[in-house]
mmCIF file of all heavy atoms in Angstrom:
data_model
loop_
_atom_site.group_PDB
_atom_site.id
_atom_site.type_symbol
_atom_site.label_atom_id
_atom_site.label_comp_id
_atom_site.label_asym_id
_atom_site.label_seq_id
_atom_site.Cartn_x
_atom_site.Cartn_y
_atom_site.Cartn_z
ATOM 1 N N ALA H 1 0.839 -20.236 8.100
ATOM 2 C CA ALA H 1 -0.487 -20.185 7.464
ATOM 3 C C ALA H 1 -0.335 -20.734 6.093
ATOM 4 O O ALA H 1 -0.370 -19.851 5.195
ATOM 5 C CB ALA H 1 -1.189 -18.827 7.672
ATOM 6 N N PRO H 2 -0.216 -22.042 5.887
ATOM 7 C CA PRO H 2 0.126 -22.531 4.518
ATOM 8 C C PRO H 2 -0.878 -22.202 3.445
ATOM 9 O O PRO H 2 -0.569 -22.344 2.267
ATOM 10 C CB PRO H 2 0.331 -23.993 4.811
ATOM 11 C CG PRO H 2 -0.316 -24.282 6.002
ATOM 12 C CD PRO H 2 -0.269 -23.083 6.803
ATOM 13 N N TYR H 3 -2.155 -21.919 3.842
ATOM 14 C CA TYR H 3 -3.187 -21.726 2.803
ATOM 15 C C TYR H 3 -3.587 -20.330 2.592
ATOM 16 O O TYR H 3 -4.539 -19.978 1.753
ATOM 17 C CB TYR H 3 -4.376 -22.564 3.216
ATOM 18 C CG TYR H 3 -4.022 -24.071 3.312
ATOM 19 C CD1 TYR H 3 -4.064 -24.679 4.637
ATOM 20 C CD2 TYR H 3 -3.730 -24.758 2.186
ATOM 21 C CE1 TYR H 3 -3.628 -26.012 4.640
ATOM 22 C CE2 TYR H 3 -3.327 -26.073 2.313
ATOM 23 C CZ TYR H 3 -3.274 -26.721 3.621
ATOM 24 O OH TYR H 3 -2.938 -28.012 3.693
ATOM 25 N N ILE H 4 -2.893 -19.352 3.176
ATOM 26 C CA ILE H 4 -3.134 -17.979 2.999
ATOM 27 C C ILE H 4 -2.748 -17.579 1.501
ATOM 28 O O ILE H 4 -1.749 -18.053 1.007
ATOM 29 C CB ILE H 4 -2.474 -17.098 3.986
ATOM 30 C CG1 ILE H 4 -2.937 -15.746 3.918
ATOM 31 C CG2 ILE H 4 -0.926 -17.184 3.770
ATOM 32 C CD1 ILE H 4 -2.439 -14.861 5.101
ATOM 33 N N GLN H 5 -3.529 -16.674 0.876
ATOM 34 C CA GLN H 5 -3.170 -16.141 -0.376
ATOM 35 C C GLN H 5 -2.317 -14.813 -0.188
ATOM 36 O O GLN H 5 -2.680 -13.965 0.566
ATOM 37 C CB GLN H 5 -4.377 -15.786 -1.241
ATOM 38 C CG GLN H 5 -5.213 -17.021 -1.571
ATOM 39 C CD GLN H 5 -6.420 -16.586 -2.381
ATOM 40 O OE1 GLN H 5 -6.317 -15.711 -3.311
ATOM 41 N NE2 GLN H 5 -7.617 -16.952 -1.957
ATOM 42 N N ILE H 6 -1.119 -14.830 -0.773
ATOM 43 C CA ILE H 6 -0.306 -13.638 -0.581
ATOM 44 C C ILE H 6 0.102 -13.036 -1.967
ATOM 45 O O ILE H 6 0.480 -13.787 -2.915
ATOM 46 C CB ILE H 6 0.996 -14.080 0.140
ATOM 47 C CG1 ILE H 6 0.682 -14.497 1.569
ATOM 48 C CG2 ILE H 6 1.980 -12.881 0.110
ATOM 49 C CD1 ILE H 6 1.949 -14.983 2.335
ATOM 50 N N VAL H 7 -0.134 -11.768 -2.097
ATOM 51 C CA VAL H 7 0.316 -11.061 -3.339
ATOM 52 C C VAL H 7 1.275 -10.038 -2.845
ATOM 53 O O VAL H 7 1.099 -9.314 -1.890
ATOM 54 C CB VAL H 7 -0.936 -10.330 -3.956
ATOM 55 C CG1 VAL H 7 -0.474 -9.544 -5.139
ATOM 56 C CG2 VAL H 7 -1.950 -11.289 -4.313
ATOM 57 N N THR H 8 2.523 -10.042 -3.538
ATOM 58 C CA THR H 8 3.468 -9.144 -3.112
ATOM 59 C C THR H 8 3.877 -8.074 -4.241
ATOM 60 O O THR H 8 3.770 -8.392 -5.369
ATOM 61 C CB THR H 8 4.850 -9.876 -2.857
ATOM 62 O OG1 THR H 8 5.236 -10.623 -4.018
ATOM 63 C CG2 THR H 8 4.690 -10.919 -1.669
ATOM 64 N N HIS H 9 4.226 -6.921 -3.719
ATOM 65 C CA HIS H 9 4.539 -5.831 -4.653
ATOM 66 C C HIS H 9 5.879 -5.250 -4.110
ATOM 67 O O HIS H 9 5.909 -4.585 -3.057
ATOM 68 C CB HIS H 9 3.531 -4.805 -4.693
ATOM 69 C CG HIS H 9 2.162 -5.307 -5.300
ATOM 70 N ND1 HIS H 9 2.057 -5.512 -6.744
ATOM 71 C CD2 HIS H 9 0.974 -5.500 -4.797
ATOM 72 C CE1 HIS H 9 0.834 -5.813 -6.929
ATOM 73 N NE2 HIS H 9 0.092 -5.923 -5.716
ATOM 74 N N THR H 10 6.932 -5.484 -4.709
ATOM 75 C CA THR H 10 8.243 -5.007 -4.277
ATOM 76 C C THR H 10 8.556 -3.640 -4.889
ATOM 77 O O THR H 10 9.343 -3.532 -5.876
ATOM 78 C CB THR H 10 9.361 -5.973 -4.579
ATOM 79 O OG1 THR H 10 9.014 -7.317 -4.050
ATOM 80 C CG2 THR H 10 10.711 -5.557 -3.926
ATOM 81 N N VAL H 11 7.783 -2.610 -4.483
ATOM 82 C CA VAL H 11 7.819 -1.306 -4.962
ATOM 83 C C VAL H 11 7.693 -0.251 -3.829
ATOM 84 O O VAL H 11 7.079 -0.689 -2.764
ATOM 85 C CB VAL H 11 6.771 -1.007 -6.115
ATOM 86 C CG1 VAL H 11 6.960 -1.967 -7.276
ATOM 87 C CG2 VAL H 11 5.391 -1.225 -5.502
ATOM 88 N N ARG H 12 8.073 0.871 -4.100
ATOM 89 C CA ARG H 12 7.795 1.994 -3.242
ATOM 90 C C ARG H 12 6.375 2.588 -3.548
ATOM 91 O O ARG H 12 6.100 2.874 -4.662
ATOM 92 C CB ARG H 12 8.818 3.054 -3.365
ATOM 93 C CG ARG H 12 8.536 4.290 -2.371
ATOM 94 C CD ARG H 12 9.545 5.440 -2.558
ATOM 95 N NE ARG H 12 10.912 5.041 -2.231
ATOM 96 C CZ ARG H 12 11.394 5.298 -0.990
ATOM 97 N NH1 ARG H 12 10.691 5.703 -0.075
ATOM 98 N NH2 ARG H 12 12.614 4.910 -0.804
ATOM 99 N N ILE H 13 5.549 2.618 -2.592
ATOM 100 C CA ILE H 13 4.188 3.317 -2.752
ATOM 101 C C ILE H 13 4.399 4.750 -2.893
ATOM 102 O O ILE H 13 4.977 5.396 -2.055
ATOM 103 C CB ILE H 13 3.257 2.945 -1.556
ATOM 104 C CG1 ILE H 13 3.027 1.326 -1.451
ATOM 105 C CG2 ILE H 13 1.894 3.633 -1.793
ATOM 106 C CD1 ILE H 13 2.174 0.935 -0.297
ATOM 107 N N THR H 14 3.701 5.307 -3.920
ATOM 108 C CA THR H 14 3.787 6.679 -4.213
ATOM 109 C C THR H 14 2.421 7.271 -4.531
ATOM 110 O O THR H 14 1.421 6.435 -4.626
ATOM 111 C CB THR H 14 4.591 6.973 -5.477
ATOM 112 O OG1 THR H 14 4.030 6.542 -6.686
ATOM 113 C CG2 THR H 14 6.104 6.368 -5.283
ATOM 114 N N GLU H 15 2.277 8.475 -4.698
ATOM 115 C CA GLU H 15 0.956 9.111 -5.037
ATOM 116 C C GLU H 15 0.473 8.675 -6.462
ATOM 117 O O GLU H 15 -0.644 8.908 -6.779
ATOM 118 C CB GLU H 15 1.063 10.657 -4.982
ATOM 119 C CG GLU H 15 2.098 11.214 -5.904
ATOM 120 C CD GLU H 15 2.233 12.754 -5.778
ATOM 121 O OE1 GLU H 15 1.197 13.430 -5.782
ATOM 122 O OE2 GLU H 15 3.385 13.220 -5.618
ATOM 123 N N TYR H 16 1.389 8.129 -7.206
ATOM 124 C CA TYR H 16 1.140 7.766 -8.606
ATOM 125 C C TYR H 16 0.667 6.284 -8.784
ATOM 126 O O TYR H 16 0.082 5.940 -9.744
ATOM 127 C CB TYR H 16 2.303 8.096 -9.464
ATOM 128 C CG TYR H 16 2.825 9.479 -9.416
ATOM 129 C CD1 TYR H 16 3.966 9.696 -8.773
ATOM 130 C CD2 TYR H 16 2.046 10.524 -10.025
ATOM 131 C CE1 TYR H 16 4.460 11.070 -8.688
ATOM 132 C CE2 TYR H 16 2.458 11.855 -9.887
ATOM 133 C CZ TYR H 16 3.717 12.157 -9.252
ATOM 134 O OH TYR H 16 4.063 13.472 -9.157
ATOM 135 N N ASN H 17 1.036 5.439 -7.775
ATOM 136 C CA ASN H 17 0.697 4.082 -7.950
ATOM 137 C C ASN H 17 -0.207 3.405 -6.850
ATOM 138 O O ASN H 17 -0.592 2.258 -6.978
ATOM 139 C CB ASN H 17 1.999 3.245 -8.086
ATOM 140 C CG ASN H 17 2.752 3.256 -6.740
ATOM 141 O OD1 ASN H 17 2.388 3.665 -5.671
ATOM 142 N ND2 ASN H 17 4.082 2.695 -6.876
ATOM 143 N N PHE H 18 -0.475 4.222 -5.804
ATOM 144 C CA PHE H 18 -1.205 3.598 -4.619
ATOM 145 C C PHE H 18 -2.652 3.114 -4.970
ATOM 146 O O PHE H 18 -3.047 2.112 -4.527
ATOM 147 C CB PHE H 18 -1.226 4.607 -3.420
ATOM 148 C CG PHE H 18 -2.243 5.645 -3.505
ATOM 149 C CD1 PHE H 18 -3.498 5.535 -3.097
ATOM 150 C CD2 PHE H 18 -1.924 6.867 -4.157
ATOM 151 C CE1 PHE H 18 -4.473 6.549 -3.197
ATOM 152 C CE2 PHE H 18 -2.813 7.861 -4.228
ATOM 153 C CZ PHE H 18 -4.129 7.740 -3.787
ATOM 154 N N VAL H 19 -3.261 3.794 -5.899
ATOM 155 C CA VAL H 19 -4.660 3.442 -6.305
ATOM 156 C C VAL H 19 -4.598 2.054 -6.955
ATOM 157 O O VAL H 19 -5.277 1.131 -6.492
ATOM 158 C CB VAL H 19 -5.274 4.480 -7.253
ATOM 159 C CG1 VAL H 19 -6.666 3.858 -7.771
ATOM 160 C CG2 VAL H 19 -5.547 5.742 -6.484
ATOM 161 N N GLU H 20 -3.723 1.848 -7.824
ATOM 162 C CA GLU H 20 -3.612 0.483 -8.551
ATOM 163 C C GLU H 20 -3.206 -0.528 -7.527
ATOM 164 O O GLU H 20 -3.704 -1.676 -7.631
ATOM 165 C CB GLU H 20 -2.584 0.633 -9.678
ATOM 166 C CG GLU H 20 -2.347 -0.648 -10.543
ATOM 167 C CD GLU H 20 -1.356 -0.568 -11.620
ATOM 168 O OE1 GLU H 20 -0.801 0.564 -11.731
ATOM 169 O OE2 GLU H 20 -1.173 -1.516 -12.281
ATOM 170 N N LEU H 21 -2.233 -0.310 -6.663
ATOM 171 C CA LEU H 21 -1.779 -1.237 -5.737
ATOM 172 C C LEU H 21 -2.851 -1.635 -4.728
ATOM 173 O O LEU H 21 -2.855 -2.815 -4.276
ATOM 174 C CB LEU H 21 -0.577 -0.783 -5.042
ATOM 175 C CG LEU H 21 0.713 -0.587 -5.839
ATOM 176 C CD1 LEU H 21 1.700 0.139 -5.007
ATOM 177 C CD2 LEU H 21 1.279 -1.929 -6.334
ATOM 178 N N LEU H 22 -3.740 -0.724 -4.398
ATOM 179 C CA LEU H 22 -4.592 -0.975 -3.237
ATOM 180 C C LEU H 22 -6.059 -1.178 -3.526
ATOM 181 O O LEU H 22 -6.851 -1.348 -2.652
ATOM 182 C CB LEU H 22 -4.556 0.177 -2.213
ATOM 183 C CG LEU H 22 -3.054 0.425 -1.681
ATOM 184 C CD1 LEU H 22 -3.064 1.707 -0.875
ATOM 185 C CD2 LEU H 22 -2.536 -0.733 -0.914
ATOM 186 N N GLN H 23 -6.447 -1.096 -4.929
ATOM 187 C CA GLN H 23 -7.818 -1.051 -5.203
ATOM 188 C C GLN H 23 -8.598 -2.401 -4.901
ATOM 189 O O GLN H 23 -9.755 -2.430 -4.730
ATOM 190 C CB GLN H 23 -7.967 -0.798 -6.701
ATOM 191 C CG GLN H 23 -7.199 -1.777 -7.646
ATOM 192 C CD GLN H 23 -7.224 -1.401 -9.075
ATOM 193 O OE1 GLN H 23 -7.914 -0.423 -9.424
ATOM 194 N NE2 GLN H 23 -6.483 -2.069 -9.965
ATOM 195 N N ASP H 24 -7.833 -3.503 -4.710
ATOM 196 C CA ASP H 24 -8.482 -4.776 -4.494
ATOM 197 C C ASP H 24 -8.705 -5.021 -2.947
ATOM 198 O O ASP H 24 -9.114 -6.049 -2.539
ATOM 199 C CB ASP H 24 -7.686 -5.952 -5.064
ATOM 200 C CG ASP H 24 -7.792 -5.939 -6.569
ATOM 201 O OD1 ASP H 24 -8.671 -5.432 -7.172
ATOM 202 O OD2 ASP H 24 -6.779 -6.504 -7.143
ATOM 203 N N ALA H 25 -8.053 -4.131 -2.142
ATOM 204 C CA ALA H 25 -8.098 -4.443 -0.650
ATOM 205 C C ALA H 25 -9.498 -3.949 -0.064
ATOM 206 O O ALA H 25 -9.979 -2.929 -0.507
ATOM 207 C CB ALA H 25 -7.006 -3.624 -0.060
ATOM 208 N N ASP H 26 -9.907 -4.653 0.916
ATOM 209 C CA ASP H 26 -10.995 -4.277 1.780
ATOM 210 C C ASP H 26 -10.563 -3.229 2.807
ATOM 211 O O ASP H 26 -11.262 -2.274 3.121
ATOM 212 C CB ASP H 26 -11.702 -5.405 2.413
ATOM 213 C CG ASP H 26 -12.188 -6.417 1.325
ATOM 214 O OD1 ASP H 26 -12.939 -6.099 0.455
ATOM 215 O OD2 ASP H 26 -11.761 -7.657 1.455
ATOM 216 N N ILE H 27 -9.425 -3.573 3.393
ATOM 217 C CA ILE H 27 -8.891 -2.756 4.502
ATOM 218 C C ILE H 27 -7.482 -2.521 4.239
ATOM 219 O O ILE H 27 -6.708 -3.390 3.725
ATOM 220 C CB ILE H 27 -9.031 -3.499 5.865
ATOM 221 C CG1 ILE H 27 -10.553 -3.730 6.109
ATOM 222 C CG2 ILE H 27 -8.481 -2.586 6.968
ATOM 223 C CD1 ILE H 27 -10.759 -4.658 7.296
ATOM 224 N N ILE H 28 -6.954 -1.257 4.474
ATOM 225 C CA ILE H 28 -5.569 -0.857 4.242
ATOM 226 C C ILE H 28 -4.881 -0.536 5.576
ATOM 227 O O ILE H 28 -5.442 0.305 6.292
ATOM 228 C CB ILE H 28 -5.520 0.333 3.231
ATOM 229 C CG1 ILE H 28 -6.214 -0.062 1.885
ATOM 230 C CG2 ILE H 28 -4.148 0.786 3.084
ATOM 231 C CD1 ILE H 28 -6.502 1.181 1.083
ATOM 232 N N CYS H 29 -3.723 -1.166 5.798
ATOM 233 C CA CYS H 29 -2.966 -0.823 7.031
ATOM 234 C C CYS H 29 -1.842 -0.023 6.588
ATOM 235 O O CYS H 29 -1.028 -0.488 5.784
ATOM 236 C CB CYS H 29 -2.585 -2.079 7.740
ATOM 237 S SG CYS H 29 -3.824 -3.126 8.456
ATOM 238 N N GLU H 30 -1.594 1.159 7.050
ATOM 239 C CA GLU H 30 -0.502 2.049 6.864
ATOM 240 C C GLU H 30 0.575 1.627 7.977
ATOM 241 O O GLU H 30 0.328 1.749 9.135
ATOM 242 C CB GLU H 30 -0.862 3.524 6.961
ATOM 243 C CG GLU H 30 0.287 4.482 6.867
ATOM 244 C CD GLU H 30 1.011 4.690 8.127
ATOM 245 O OE1 GLU H 30 0.394 5.072 9.169
ATOM 246 O OE2 GLU H 30 2.229 4.512 8.205
ATOM 247 N N ALA H 31 1.728 1.298 7.507
ATOM 248 C CA ALA H 31 2.730 0.806 8.487
ATOM 249 C C ALA H 31 4.122 1.360 8.062
ATOM 250 O O ALA H 31 5.190 0.611 8.079
ATOM 251 C CB ALA H 31 2.826 -0.665 8.494
ATOM 252 N N PHE H 32 4.225 2.619 7.706
ATOM 253 C CA PHE H 32 5.448 3.308 7.281
ATOM 254 C C PHE H 32 6.165 3.786 8.485
ATOM 255 O O PHE H 32 5.579 4.238 9.515
ATOM 256 C CB PHE H 32 5.152 4.441 6.286
ATOM 257 C CG PHE H 32 4.625 3.995 5.013
ATOM 258 C CD1 PHE H 32 3.575 4.631 4.447
ATOM 259 C CD2 PHE H 32 5.132 2.877 4.331
ATOM 260 C CE1 PHE H 32 3.090 4.276 3.136
ATOM 261 C CE2 PHE H 32 4.671 2.499 3.062
ATOM 262 C CZ PHE H 32 3.611 3.182 2.583
ATOM 263 N N ASP H 33 7.433 4.076 8.298
ATOM 264 C CA ASP H 33 8.238 4.768 9.357
ATOM 265 C C ASP H 33 8.320 6.292 9.010
ATOM 266 O O ASP H 33 8.471 7.134 9.959
ATOM 267 C CB ASP H 33 9.685 4.161 9.244
ATOM 268 C CG ASP H 33 9.837 2.871 9.747
ATOM 269 O OD1 ASP H 33 8.977 2.387 10.586
ATOM 270 O OD2 ASP H 33 10.678 2.078 9.328
ATOM 271 N N ASP H 34 8.281 6.640 7.718
ATOM 272 C CA ASP H 34 8.395 8.039 7.326
ATOM 273 C C ASP H 34 7.130 8.788 7.401
ATOM 274 O O ASP H 34 6.120 8.384 6.923
ATOM 275 C CB ASP H 34 8.918 7.992 5.851
ATOM 276 C CG ASP H 34 9.143 9.322 5.333
ATOM 277 O OD1 ASP H 34 10.267 9.994 5.665
ATOM 278 O OD2 ASP H 34 8.394 9.899 4.598
ATOM 279 N N ALA H 35 7.196 10.057 7.963
ATOM 280 C CA ALA H 35 5.996 10.862 8.219
ATOM 281 C C ALA H 35 5.400 11.318 6.945
ATOM 282 O O ALA H 35 4.181 11.318 6.751
ATOM 283 C CB ALA H 35 6.341 11.987 9.165
ATOM 284 N N GLU H 36 6.289 11.605 5.947
ATOM 285 C CA GLU H 36 5.752 12.189 4.654
ATOM 286 C C GLU H 36 5.001 11.016 3.946
ATOM 287 O O GLU H 36 3.939 11.316 3.281
ATOM 288 C CB GLU H 36 6.870 12.656 3.797
ATOM 289 C CG GLU H 36 7.453 13.992 4.343
ATOM 290 C CD GLU H 36 8.474 14.565 3.325
ATOM 291 O OE1 GLU H 36 8.635 14.013 2.239
ATOM 292 O OE2 GLU H 36 9.096 15.495 3.694
ATOM 293 N N GLN H 37 5.490 9.766 4.018
ATOM 294 C CA GLN H 37 4.785 8.671 3.350
ATOM 295 C C GLN H 37 3.479 8.338 4.018
ATOM 296 O O GLN H 37 2.444 8.094 3.420
ATOM 297 C CB GLN H 37 5.731 7.469 3.334
ATOM 298 C CG GLN H 37 6.660 7.338 2.205
ATOM 299 C CD GLN H 37 7.092 5.913 1.949
ATOM 300 O OE1 GLN H 37 7.902 5.366 2.946
ATOM 301 N NE2 GLN H 37 6.851 5.194 0.951
ATOM 302 N N LYS H 38 3.431 8.547 5.384
ATOM 303 C CA LYS H 38 2.248 8.283 6.117
ATOM 304 C C LYS H 38 1.171 9.348 5.631
ATOM 305 O O LYS H 38 0.000 8.877 5.343
ATOM 306 C CB LYS H 38 2.473 8.434 7.609
ATOM 307 C CG LYS H 38 3.233 7.314 8.316
ATOM 308 C CD LYS H 38 3.547 7.673 9.754
ATOM 309 C CE LYS H 38 4.183 6.566 10.455
ATOM 310 N NZ LYS H 38 3.277 5.424 10.737
ATOM 311 N N SER H 39 1.599 10.474 5.551
ATOM 312 C CA SER H 39 0.690 11.562 5.141
ATOM 313 C C SER H 39 0.172 11.329 3.738
ATOM 314 O O SER H 39 -1.003 11.556 3.439
ATOM 315 C CB SER H 39 1.333 12.948 5.350
ATOM 316 O OG SER H 39 0.487 13.955 4.918
ATOM 317 N N MET H 40 1.070 11.047 2.888
ATOM 318 C CA MET H 40 0.721 10.787 1.475
ATOM 319 C C MET H 40 -0.277 9.752 1.287
ATOM 320 O O MET H 40 -1.321 9.853 0.625
ATOM 321 C CB MET H 40 1.992 10.477 0.706
ATOM 322 C CG MET H 40 1.755 10.166 -0.796
ATOM 323 S SD MET H 40 1.250 8.391 -1.128
ATOM 324 C CE MET H 40 2.730 7.505 -0.563
ATOM 325 N N LEU H 41 -0.083 8.612 1.970
ATOM 326 C CA LEU H 41 -0.927 7.413 1.917
ATOM 327 C C LEU H 41 -2.339 7.792 2.451
ATOM 328 O O LEU H 41 -3.461 7.517 1.920
ATOM 329 C CB LEU H 41 -0.385 6.252 2.583
ATOM 330 C CG LEU H 41 -1.231 4.986 2.249
ATOM 331 C CD1 LEU H 41 -1.267 4.607 0.887
ATOM 332 C CD2 LEU H 41 -0.693 3.878 3.197
ATOM 333 N N ALA H 42 -2.326 8.344 3.697
ATOM 334 C CA ALA H 42 -3.616 8.703 4.324
ATOM 335 C C ALA H 42 -4.457 9.677 3.531
ATOM 336 O O ALA H 42 -5.649 9.525 3.275
ATOM 337 C CB ALA H 42 -3.283 9.286 5.718
ATOM 338 N N ASN H 43 -3.835 10.755 3.094
ATOM 339 C CA ASN H 43 -4.534 11.707 2.229
ATOM 340 C C ASN H 43 -5.052 11.067 0.953
ATOM 341 O O ASN H 43 -6.198 11.353 0.499
ATOM 342 C CB ASN H 43 -3.562 12.900 1.975
ATOM 343 C CG ASN H 43 -3.310 13.765 3.243
ATOM 344 O OD1 ASN H 43 -4.118 13.728 4.188
ATOM 345 N ND2 ASN H 43 -2.244 14.410 3.146
ATOM 346 N N GLY H 44 -4.140 10.258 0.361
ATOM 347 C CA GLY H 44 -4.598 9.596 -0.932
ATOM 348 C C GLY H 44 -5.722 8.638 -0.757
ATOM 349 O O GLY H 44 -6.641 8.708 -1.664
ATOM 350 N N VAL H 45 -5.686 7.839 0.253
ATOM 351 C CA VAL H 45 -6.772 6.826 0.473
ATOM 352 C C VAL H 45 -8.031 7.535 0.745
ATOM 353 O O VAL H 45 -9.138 7.239 0.197
ATOM 354 C CB VAL H 45 -6.329 5.888 1.575
ATOM 355 C CG1 VAL H 45 -7.541 4.979 1.919
ATOM 356 C CG2 VAL H 45 -5.224 4.882 1.125
#
């Protein structure tokens, strides 16, 4: 898809940075392996 816009963030998502990282998204897909990260993101969002 050569014309897609891609923004990358090579960081671990935490309770301290998820708002800043995700504030521009219309839809957020949680795709973690770790249960604690899943819970953190879901509760935070």
Side-chain angles (χ1 to χ4, degrees):
Y3 301 109
I4 192 171
Q5 297 179 48
I6 297 176
V7 178
T8 60
H9 296 286
T10 308
V11 297
R12 180 186 292 275
I13 298 180
T14 70
E15 60 184 308
Y16 305 107
N17 66 10
F18 77 89
V19 172
E20 181 180 0
L21 291 170
L22 302 175
Q23 60 187 351
D24 293 335
D26 301 306
I27 302 173
I28 299 164
C29 292
E30 176 276 306
F32 294 136
D33 294 330
D34 183 76
E36 289 187 7
Q37 273 196 299
K38 286 176 176 288
S39 178
M40 177 277 297
L41 186 65
N43 291 334
V45 170

